[in-house]
Amino acid sequence: MTKAFIGFIVAIAVLWASNAIAQTTEPQPAAKIVVDAPLAEPLSRGVVFIQYRTENLQIVPVFGAKALDVSPRIGHLHVAVDGASWVWAESSGGPIIIAGLPEGPHKVEITPVNANHQPLDRSVIVEFVIPGRKAAK
């Protein structure tokens, strides 16, 4: 009975593994990002909180060519502030938080990319204003 049970478990594992591998060869739906406007209260303190969600893309800190075959799709976000030529890779899956920007208007460009840094969807540009700070009395 024990050998039969172990054989059954092995058969299930083989079927499950072959199904998981098959999933990586099928086309996946297009990745999409939805970005909310920055939260107003933190902006009043000079901090930008940008909440987002992705569809058909899990944001994780995994990089490299082999990660392109993972299903469901994994990737991260490229974030650029005020037209900078450099970006940072946001891979936490949490909100994008930026502090220390000067007063005035700003733009943050957010691009969902795969594990090899290739864009998966259009970039989203979030515009906001850091208000002037009131002088202490």
Side-chain angles (χ1 to χ4, degrees):
M1 180 159 172
T2 304
K3 288 182 183 180
F5 180 71
I6 291 172
F8 175 74
I9 296 299
V10 169
I12 294 296
V14 167
L15 286 173
W16 180 80
S18 65
N19 188 35
I21 292 167
Q23 289 176 357
T24 62
T25 61
E26 294 178 17
Q28 298 183 55
K32 182 178 178 185
I33 185 167
V34 177
V35 178
D36 295 336
L39 298 174
E41 193 280 325
L43 269 180
S44 70
R45 295 182 283 118
V47 179
V48 182
F49 276 74
I50 302 172
Q51 296 178 322
Y52 66 89
R53 69 179 170 81
T54 57
E55 297 174 5
N56 306 311
L57 174 65
Q58 293 180 335
I59 302 298
V60 294
V62 177
F63 304 93
K66 292 197 182 251
L68 298 177
D69 296 330
V70 174
S71 179
R73 179 185 296 114
I74 60 174
H76 56 281
L77 304 177
H78 283 177
V79 181
V81 179
D82 292 335
S85 60
W86 56 271
V87 299
W88 82 78
E90 162 55 42
S91 60
S92 72
I96 297 168
I97 303 171
I98 307 168
L101 294 173
E103 297 174 2
H106 297 280
K107 293 181 183 181
V108 174
E109 182 177 3
I110 306 166
T111 307
V113 298
N114 66 19
N116 240 8
H117 308 285
Q118 298 160 327
L120 294 171
D121 191 18
R122 77 209 179 338
S123 294
V124 174
I125 296 179
V126 179
E127 298 185 48
F128 56 92
V129 175
I130 300 288
R133 300 202 175 91
K134 297 178 182 175
K137 292 183 181 183

